[in-house]
Amino acid sequence: MKMLQKMAVTVLGLCLALCVNVIPAFAMDNDVANDTDTLIAKTAILNDIDKYGSNWGSDVSTDNACVVEDTMVSQSNNGDVIILNTYLNGQNVTITGTPLSKSENGNVTYFDGNVNNADYDVVLFSFEKEIQDSVVYFKGYMQENGKTAGNILKVYLKDNNSTTNDYIVLEIFDYELPFPESNLSGLEVDGLPGAWVAEEFEPFSVEEDDTPLPYISSDSDTRTYNETFYVGDVQQKHTITLEYKILYGNIRYGSHEKNHSTVKVIAKSITVPSSPNLNSSTQSSLYVSALTIHQFAAPFTAFTETKVDGSVYISNGYLGDITVSLGFAGLDVSAELEAVFENSVDVALNDNNYKSYSHFDEYERATRTSMNSNMRLIYKDQFFTVISILYDFKNEPHNGGVLTNRFDVTISNSRTQNSSQKNYSFLKNIRVIQ
């Protein structure tokens, strides 16, 4: 117990030093004119936040060491655009927020925040209700003053002039929108703006879960990839679950059979257990940015044809070619599958888009098919499939053998642009029958 107390004192002392040192760099001049639109923002200055955001904390965990004098904010609006004026470090600063999206449970409205001073960037601009279910920096103030069920406007700014990660936290409690809330009813559901920590900081945990899902068949397997970030005093986990699947049939000797090899996004989520306002059951910042499917034929069989199918995300314009390489390593045999799309977001890949590759007079024992660099698997149910024709060349019944697939998948974070490559092999026994 004494050791734990000593550690707690050390951590608190570090937080005190981090916060107090920055106050002169962000001196507040609260000379905003008094009028009916003047709001009071609880204010904290956070200095030298580490690369994981682990020392962001709250007014409770830092014992108010990062809290400075309240900031006076003058508010106006232009339609649904919120306009905030205040002084930061002796400069008049205007911050605007344009409605952007809503959280899945509808308690949070995210705004596209902009500031007219290049010294700062807006990392979060949000209007939140039922704030006991949100991540609030002034958690102690909220609880002590009975504001847990109220509304809040949160504006978080990053200092662009600092050589360290320094932030200003502005939180306005009991906030009311300057226009009817019904004006926001048509906003799309998009929780990713609430994942701002995934853009500002690195994940402190990257994991892979290979626990199979109960509804997945024996012809497929699943992997869930997780990245977890600190958000204040709690943790925000981003997940993407991929299904790796092989559909195949036994081959009649001297004949052929189709094989389908697929990677599909079957689930995504953002979870903050103590702050469900930030949760999403369909989104995360993780996606598949690159994918290669390798196929290795069973004994006495070979591939004679390859094509692709799928539903993928592309940026825009000309998609380019998907290249299929045939043969074992060291054999320089390849073909191109051509594809041209109109500008689109979700593109279906099928025979109308791609030319089938036919190579019947050669014995190709392996194929390698890669998604084009413009392609992404971002949304639930998007997939990429390689369809290959496997032919038996022995012309008599035999025991067949193992058809092997290897999936090389790159998982990226749309906020941080960090990537990690995953490899997964899938083996299936194929029989050649009479």
Side-chain angles (χ1 to χ4, degrees):
M1 179 61 72
K2 290 182 178 180
M3 178 61 71
L4 290 175
Q5 291 174 341
K6 183 176 180 181
M7 291 173 63
V9 170
T10 301
V11 171
L12 178 57
L14 176 60
C15 290
L16 288 168
L18 291 174
C19 297
V20 171
N21 286 346
V22 79
I23 291 176
F26 289 115
M28 299 291 177
D29 183 355
N30 295 331
D31 291 335
V32 175
N34 292 322
D35 56 42
T36 56
D37 293 322
T38 297
L39 308 173
I40 298 175
K42 303 298 295 181
T43 307
I45 306 299
L46 310 183
N47 185 37
D48 199 18
I49 300 301
D50 65 37
K51 65 180 182 178
Y52 302 111
S54 63
N55 57 335
W56 183 280
S58 68
D59 62 343
V60 175
S61 62
T62 61
D63 197 25
N64 286 316
C66 301
V67 176
V68 297
E69 182 181 354
D70 293 347
T71 300
M72 307 299 290
V73 179
S74 177
Q75 175 182 253
S76 60
N77 67 291
N78 181 6
D80 298 342
V81 177
I82 298 174
I83 304 170
L84 306 176
N85 286 284
T86 189
Y87 283 89
L88 302 179
N89 200 21
Q91 301 180 78
N92 191 350
V93 174
T94 300
I95 307 166
T96 59
T98 304
L100 185 62
S101 65
K102 280 187 171 291
S103 63
E104 188 171 275
N105 68 3
N107 284 341
V108 182
T109 300
Y110 297 107
F111 291 77
D112 181 17
N114 290 279
V115 59
N116 70 339
N117 190 316
D119 291 345
Y120 309 103
D121 278 333
V122 180
V123 298
L124 177 67
F125 194 127
S126 64
F127 167 62
E128 307 185 16
K129 301 183 295 184
E130 301 295 334
I131 58 176
Q132 74 275 9
D133 293 332
S134 291
V135 177
V136 177
Y137 183 82
F138 286 93
K139 181 164 54 178
Y141 171 85
M142 176 183 70
Q143 294 170 345
E144 292 168 6
N145 291 275
K147 299 182 181 296
T148 55
N151 302 338
I152 192 172
L153 183 72
K154 300 197 303 191
V155 179
Y156 296 171
L157 303 175
K158 183 174 184 178
D159 174 24
N160 292 327
N161 288 329
S162 176
T163 57
T164 58
N165 285 329
D166 300 341
Y167 298 84
I168 301 175
V169 171
L170 302 173
E171 295 185 342
I172 302 173
F173 288 85
D174 300 320
Y175 179 79
E176 297 295 335
L177 291 167
F179 50 80
E181 189 175 347
S182 59
N183 291 8
L184 305 174
S185 60
L187 290 177
E188 67 174 352
V189 173
D190 183 0
L192 287 179
W196 62 273
V197 292
E199 183 171 350
E200 291 295 311
F201 307 119
E202 296 181 17
F204 71 88
S205 173
V206 178
E207 298 176 331
E208 178 178 338
D209 182 3
D210 61 358
T211 303
L213 298 180
Y215 54 84
I216 297 299
S217 72
S218 59
D219 293 327
S220 63
D221 203 352
T222 62
R223 291 290 187 275
T224 297
Y225 305 101
N226 310 309
E227 291 189 4
T228 306
F229 301 83
Y230 285 112
V231 50
D233 283 342
V234 298
Q235 298 175 4
Q236 183 181 84
K237 177 184 284 189
H238 293 242
T239 72
I240 183 171
T241 300
L242 303 182
E243 178 184 22
Y244 299 96
K245 191 170 187 177
I246 300 178
L247 292 179
Y248 69 100
N250 292 323
I251 306 173
R252 188 171 300 278
Y253 71 86
S255 186
H256 62 272
E257 187 66 48
K258 283 186 179 180
N259 293 272
H260 296 70
S261 300
T262 300
V263 176
K264 181 178 181 180
V265 179
I266 60 172
K268 297 184 75 172
S269 67
I270 301 173
T271 54
V272 185
S274 62
S275 304
N277 279 350
L278 297 180
N279 288 354
S280 173
S281 61
T282 61
Q283 292 182 291
S284 77
S285 62
L286 304 182
Y287 67 98
V288 176
S289 60
L291 168 62
T292 297
I293 297 178
H294 305 259
Q295 296 177 305
F296 304 94
F300 305 109
T301 67
F303 297 105
T304 62
E305 187 177 337
T306 300
K307 62 178 69 175
V308 297
D309 189 10
S311 173
V312 302
Y313 175 92
I314 66 170
S315 52
N316 54 47
Y318 178 67
L319 180 65
D321 298 330
I322 293 180
T323 299
V324 179
S325 296
L326 303 171
F328 288 120
L331 295 182
D332 187 18
V333 181
S334 64
E336 291 184 344
L337 301 176
E338 298 177 358
V340 179
F341 297 106
E342 299 297 326
N343 292 354
S344 182
V345 173
D346 197 354
V347 175
L349 311 179
N350 51 50
D351 290 342
N352 296 325
N353 305 115
Y354 289 91
K355 291 192 304 185
S356 170
Y357 178 76
S358 181
H359 202 63
F360 185 80
D361 58 342
E362 297 289 342
Y363 290 20
E364 301 300 347
R365 302 274 294 127
T367 72
R368 182 180 69 236
T369 309
S370 299
M371 284 200 318
N372 181 267
S373 60
N374 281 8
M375 288 183 177
R376 304 284 186 271
L377 300 182
I378 295 179
Y379 303 114
K380 183 176 179 293
D381 295 327
Q382 288 191 323
F383 67 97
F384 184 80
T385 295
V386 175
I387 304 169
S388 295
I389 304 298
L390 192 64
Y391 200 94
D392 171 58
F393 287 96
K394 193 172 183 181
N395 291 318
E396 62 183 49
H398 57 89
N399 292 329
V402 175
L403 171 69
T404 301
N405 277 26
R406 192 180 85 228
F407 302 90
D408 296 340
V409 176
T410 300
I411 304 295
S412 296
N413 189 311
S414 62
R415 312 287 286 187
T416 64
Q417 304 305 316
N418 290 336
S419 299
S420 59
Q421 183 167 322
K422 312 293 182 182
N423 303 104
Y424 177 64
S425 293
F426 205 159
L427 284 67
K428 283 293 178 183
N429 288 311
I430 290 183
R431 289 196 317 121
V432 177
I433 61 177
Q434 185 170 355

